[in-house]
Amino acid sequence: MGKKTLRNKNRIGNFLLSFQWLFWISHSRPIFMVIFAFILVIKSWALESLPNENLNDQNYQILFNKIEKMRQTLAQSAQSSGPCSGKVSENCSFLEICKNFSGSEKEAYLYQDNKGHQLPNYPLLSTVSQAEACLQKPFLKAPIQDPFLYPEQFINAGKAGGKKELKRNRNKLEKEKRRAQEIFKDAQEKTISMLHKKGNPSNLGQIEALIARVKSVRLESAELGDGEVTLSAAGCEMPNAFYQRESDKVVLCPQVLNLPEGTLFQILSHELGHSIDPCTLAFSYSKNKMLGYTQNTSEFFFGANEKYEISLPAFSPQSLPIKNVLSCLESNKEMDLEVPSQSVLIQNIKKEMASDPENPYLEARVEQVSKNYNQYKYCSAISGQENIQEAFADWVSAEALNEKVSNQVNASQNKKVTFEFQLFMAGIDCENIKKASSEWASDLKHDQKNKCIDIKSTLADNSEAAKRTHPKSQDRVDQILLTKPENRKALGCLQSQTAAHGKNCEL
Amino acid sequence: MKALISILLFYFISGRSVYAKFIDTETFQADLNFYEIKIERTNHLGLHQEDVLMKDERGYFFNSRSLGKKIPTEIAEIWSSLEKGPDRLENGFTNRRAACSSGNYIYSKMIRTGLPGKIDQRRGCTEGKLYARIIQKIRMLKDFAGRI
Ligand SMILES: [Zn+2]
């Protein structure tokens, strides 16, 4: 558009924005006043008749019935769910594992062990929760009575279905907390004995340092408090688990406590893996009587060279005891794990700054990268990505499982625990499971008038931002878990590796 | 004269979307009131959730659901605090973190200018009191949307 035309348009635009025209109309002939009133009526009619919800609307009734039917389907499948076992063909792969769920993609639970521990169908449950929010009045009860899915059933007797049910839910919570502590202890022992076995006269000191780190970690179950707010503050808005570097703790959210044993073993050994990942190892830790182990961060934030009494020493990227595993994982081009160089990082941030010049966060990031790259390049505050830490934590958990199943002779128990190990990733990322929930979502999208047009079909995040936080689930299973010989044996896979699998990385 | 009447007529009937086309950066301020805010979060287990607040000539919308043209004072307060958004520097730095362990959120606000939208993005960790306050406010909007 030419400059002149733009200026003319601006003139008209500014004229319309100003009140000059009102002045002009009121000083003109009465006919204009009549036209003006007429226009106002038409304008308000046009705006009011924009799509709006209407309880008596036939479309609304159709929507309500659809959602009600979804809730019933969930409730029925939850009631009829029973123990199941995983079957995987000998050409083991993530895609083969996904075939297990064929036919049960529209059920509330995708898997259940013989003690009632379950893997919920998170994508489907999320779709239904979002769909319910489209209705004029909320349902008083959740579609399923399961406090691990709806934590308010741990807190509120009304939501739980009565005082007796509330008490039962709380007892169950305490029981599952104790079970989680046992699984955590097991994961810690297996990780330590795996590390022991990797020791030799030349790396003994480094192995001891890694073991001391794994031993120092404590498990903490997040408290429920008043529900959503307390849980969100603790990092538990959704089912979650994570290693908190500042306090050297693994935090486990109540929503995941009823997962099957192998699934919790994977989650907890992965989190323990973060206690020796390349970002955590860049920091030293001090031991405090009251707080336990705490991360020393003043060098990172202030460049201060404070004198701490160090219990767990820091490692530079060059002296990392895990550097062979890192370079082996990085060499797997499928996973895109390489940390960009310092100059590339700074260049990229400066590009962002050009379009957002006053963003103080970007300025702080340039400063951090310039100052801290050499020691802390594996931390996401520097590198802007977490893939390498995540792949490394997966390597630790795959090794811990390898240790667990090689110590146990019961083949069916080994198969069960190995199948359960990858369940969480499969449950949120198998295409057939995601497709089922997006089918339900799009069934509600047809009618734009009911405002249910924006339901996201799945909880698994495949956005560009997410690619910087975790490797793809398929890679986590094929390129890491199934490269370990004992894991393959436990699952009944052919021992010869197929092209789909990556290298078996060693320390 | 006829031309002027037609312009006025066109403007009133079709609502603000037409005059938005007249706006460029000089008059940008005029349309700051129309925007879309997305609060996306992905936790450490890879679970994802997002909520969308939108305001345009038709009124307020929460996750595509109309809240009407006018909202009660207490809801308006919640709305405007979410509109203001979290501190741009939060991102773990002020929390003394070298990485977000529980997960990350991205707050993005797109202001409707009639030209390609201007996006204001902020990031932070999915834990802590500040984050919990954001989630609490989103819950209040959800509950309000469920009542009307
Ligand atoms: Zn992780």
Side-chain angles (χ1 to χ4, degrees):
Chain A
M1 197 188 294
K3 266 191 178 171
K4 201 174 171 191
T5 345
L6 191 67
R7 208 177 308 134
N8 282 342
K9 278 208 159 189
N10 280 344
R11 262 187 218 147
I12 302 167
N14 289 337
F15 175 69
L16 292 178
L17 283 175
S18 70
F19 288 96
Q20 288 169 29
W21 54 271
L22 260 179
F23 184 77
W24 173 79
I25 280 178
S26 59
H27 286 76
S28 305
R29 275 182 282 174
I31 182 71
F32 290 126
M33 295 302 284
V34 175
I35 293 171
F36 182 56
F38 174 70
I39 292 168
L40 277 182
V41 170
I42 288 183
K43 180 181 154 72
S44 66
W45 169 80
L47 283 177
E48 287 309 314
S49 65
L50 280 165
N52 233 328
E53 279 165 309
N54 181 353
L55 261 172
N56 303 318
D57 194 318
Q58 198 191 352
N59 284 314
Y60 182 82
Q61 202 51 52
I62 293 169
L63 171 77
F64 183 87
N65 293 344
K66 277 181 185 172
I67 296 173
E68 177 81 326
K69 203 176 156 211
M70 287 173 184
R71 284 169 53 94
Q72 280 168 6
T73 309
L74 284 181
Q76 279 162 9
S77 71
Q79 267 177 358
S80 61
S81 68
C84 46
S85 61
K87 283 189 205 82
V88 185
S89 83
E90 52 184 16
N91 299 315
C92 294
S93 70
F94 183 75
L95 297 178
E96 286 294 320
I97 289 166
C98 290
K99 288 183 188 164
N100 262 279
F101 308 109
S102 136
S104 54
E105 298 97 336
K106 286 181 179 161
E107 291 180 7
Y109 299 99
L110 294 164
Y111 176 86
Q112 184 177 315
D113 71 10
N114 52 7
K115 288 179 185 148
H117 300 117
Q118 297 161 312
L119 175 78
N121 188 341
Y122 291 117
L124 198 68
L125 289 159
S126 154
T127 298
V128 175
S129 291
Q130 288 182 66
E132 285 181 22
C134 304
L135 296 176
Q136 291 264 319
K137 282 208 173 91
F139 286 96
L140 289 175
K141 269 191 158 184
I144 303 170
Q145 287 303 107
D146 179 349
F148 296 100
L149 285 174
Y150 307 101
E152 62 272 18
Q153 293 174 9
F154 282 126
I155 299 163
N156 182 317
K159 299 275 180 191
K163 278 185 181 169
K164 223 169 89 186
E165 286 77 7
L166 181 69
K167 199 176 167 200
R168 196 185 59 202
N169 288 351
R170 286 195 180 155
N171 289 342
K172 173 105 173 114
L173 180 69
E174 291 312 314
K175 192 178 150 213
E176 296 311 326
K177 276 187 189 174
R178 290 193 292 274
R179 181 180 72 116
Q181 284 290 354
E182 278 167 31
I183 301 172
F184 178 73
K185 209 174 137 211
D186 185 32
Q188 210 168 20
E189 277 170 15
K190 298 298 181 291
T191 308
I192 291 169
S193 77
M194 171 276 286
L195 288 168
H196 258 305
K197 287 182 184 167
K198 307 227 180 260
N200 59 49
S202 66
N203 70 2
L204 216 54
Q206 294 201 318
I207 294 286
E208 289 303 330
L210 294 178
I211 290 175
R213 293 243 178 183
V214 174
K215 264 188 189 164
S216 70
V217 184
R218 296 285 166 267
L219 175 69
E220 186 176 276
S221 291
E223 291 305 322
L224 287 160
D226 59 355
E228 198 170 41
V229 176
T230 315
L231 286 172
S232 301
C236 298
E237 182 200 0
M238 293 180 270
N240 202 9
F242 51 96
Y243 171 70
Q244 203 165 51
R245 288 191 177 85
E246 308 79 58
S247 55
D248 196 31
K249 273 178 198 151
V250 169
V251 177
L252 206 52
C253 299
Q255 300 97 315
V256 299
L257 287 168
N258 198 38
L259 290 172
E261 182 201 336
T263 316
L264 274 181
F265 185 88
Q266 181 269 328
I267 289 173
L268 293 169
S269 54
H270 170 101
E271 301 316 331
L272 279 167
H274 280 304
S275 74
I276 52 169
D277 81 15
C279 172
T280 312
L281 288 179
F283 291 89
S284 67
Y285 281 75
S286 296
K287 197 175 178 184
N288 180 305
K289 262 190 189 165
M290 298 284 284
L291 302 169
Y293 288 88
T294 53
Q295 189 186 32
N296 297 320
T297 56
S298 60
E299 188 192 309
F300 181 87
F301 288 106
F302 314 113
N305 200 3
E306 272 181 50
K307 289 273 171 280
Y308 312 104
E309 203 174 307
I310 288 171
S311 307
L312 303 166
F315 292 87
S316 71
Q318 295 75 31
S319 66
L320 282 174
I322 55 166
K323 65 180 178 197
N324 289 347
V325 181
L326 296 180
S327 55
C328 173
L329 289 169
E330 278 175 337
S331 73
N332 186 334
K333 298 295 170 206
E334 295 258 331
M335 290 195 286
D336 193 18
L337 301 175
E338 247 170 288
V339 173
S341 70
Q342 188 176 26
S343 57
V344 167
L345 277 175
I346 292 181
Q347 250 174 27
N348 290 345
I349 306 166
K350 285 196 170 157
K351 260 186 226 160
E352 269 186 73
M353 280 171 99
S355 58
D356 194 1
E358 279 156 33
N359 191 337
Y361 158 66
L362 294 174
E363 280 171 33
R365 231 168 93 59
V366 170
E367 203 193 315
Q368 285 286 353
V369 175
S370 314
K371 203 176 68 185
N372 282 330
Y373 184 88
N374 288 340
Q375 174 67 14
Y376 303 101
K377 70 169 185 172
Y378 288 112
C379 294
S380 59
I382 302 297
S383 66
Q385 56 126 310
E386 288 159 30
N387 280 346
I388 185 72
Q389 290 110 284
E390 294 311 323
F392 177 78
D394 280 340
W395 177 87
V396 172
S397 70
E399 286 279 352
L401 177 68
N402 196 69
E403 179 66 20
K404 184 176 168 76
V405 293
S406 65
N407 282 342
Q408 189 159 261
V409 282
N410 184 336
S412 70
Q413 178 62 18
N414 279 351
K415 187 170 185 170
K416 174 182 172 286
V417 90
T418 309
F419 182 76
E420 290 173 353
F421 190 90
Q422 52 69 46
L423 270 180
F424 199 93
M425 294 174 267
I428 60 169
D429 250 351
C430 281
E431 283 305 324
N432 46 346
I433 295 167
K434 291 198 284 191
K435 195 172 154 238
S437 78
S438 58
E439 271 171 20
W440 274 17
S442 57
D443 188 28
L444 302 170
K445 275 184 202 172
H446 286 315
D447 175 22
Q448 302 255 326
K449 214 178 170 190
N450 66 40
K451 298 260 184 286
C452 234
I453 53 174
D454 224 18
I455 295 174
K456 298 290 174 291
S457 56
T458 171
L459 265 168
D461 181 13
N462 287 313
S463 66
E464 281 306 309
K467 283 182 192 147
R468 284 183 277 142
T469 60
H470 273 84
K472 283 189 298 185
S473 297
Q474 186 173 348
D475 289 340
R476 298 176 70 185
V477 173
D478 290 348
Q479 310 292 327
I480 302 174
L481 169 69
L482 293 178
T483 62
K484 304 289 160 205
E486 294 295 332
N487 299 346
R488 296 180 63 80
K489 194 172 136 194
L491 210 52
C493 312
L494 286 171
Q495 278 305 300
S496 59
Q497 301 237 332
T498 61
H501 299 115
K503 266 190 272 180
N504 178 14
C505 295
E506 276 296 342
L507 198 72
Chain B
M1 188 64 72
K2 266 184 193 169
L4 200 55
I5 293 170
S6 330
I7 289 171
L8 282 173
L9 228 148
F10 192 28
Y11 160 57
F12 277 117
I13 292 175
S14 43
R16 289 176 69 122
S17 57
V18 171
Y19 96 72
K21 287 184 188 136
F22 289 113
I23 293 168
D24 72 350
T25 43
E26 285 170 49
T27 47
F28 167 70
Q29 288 296 325
D31 227 8
L32 277 176
N33 286 327
F34 292 171
Y35 49 76
E36 185 178 293
I37 292 163
K38 200 189 258 189
I39 302 163
E40 298 170 76
R41 47 257 195 224
T42 303
N43 76 10
H44 184 244
L45 291 187
L47 298 181
H48 179 78
Q49 206 172 324
E50 58 187 62
D51 290 287
V52 180
L53 285 76
M54 191 179 80
K55 194 184 168 202
D56 69 12
E57 62 274 14
R58 296 168 302 168
Y60 296 86
F61 289 83
F62 177 68
N63 289 341
S64 300
R65 189 182 169 131
S66 171
L67 305 183
K69 279 191 149 189
K70 277 187 185 152
I71 47 178
T73 324
E74 74 271 19
I75 299 299
E77 275 169 22
I78 291 166
W79 185 281
S80 71
S81 104
L82 284 171
E83 188 209 333
K84 202 171 138 241
D87 191 316
R88 298 186 94 190
L89 251 180
E90 211 250 326
N91 191 53
F93 283 122
T94 48
N95 294 338
R96 300 269 166 272
R97 286 192 181 120
C100 292
S101 39
S102 60
N104 300 275
Y105 73 77
I106 302 176
Y107 165 99
S108 45
K109 181 174 180 182
M110 199 173 83
I111 297 158
R112 203 171 89 189
T113 60
L115 291 170
K118 181 182 160 59
I119 297 185
D120 176 6
Q121 234 182 40
R122 299 156 204 197
R123 292 149 201 262
C125 303
T126 50
E127 60 183 287
K129 277 185 192 159
L130 281 174
Y131 179 70
R133 240 172 269 154
I134 297 175
I135 299 306
Q136 186 180 25
K137 282 168 187 162
I138 291 175
R139 162 60 57 195
M140 285 163 151
L141 284 187
K142 248 176 219 171
D143 290 346
F144 174 70
R147 287 199 303 270
I148 57 166

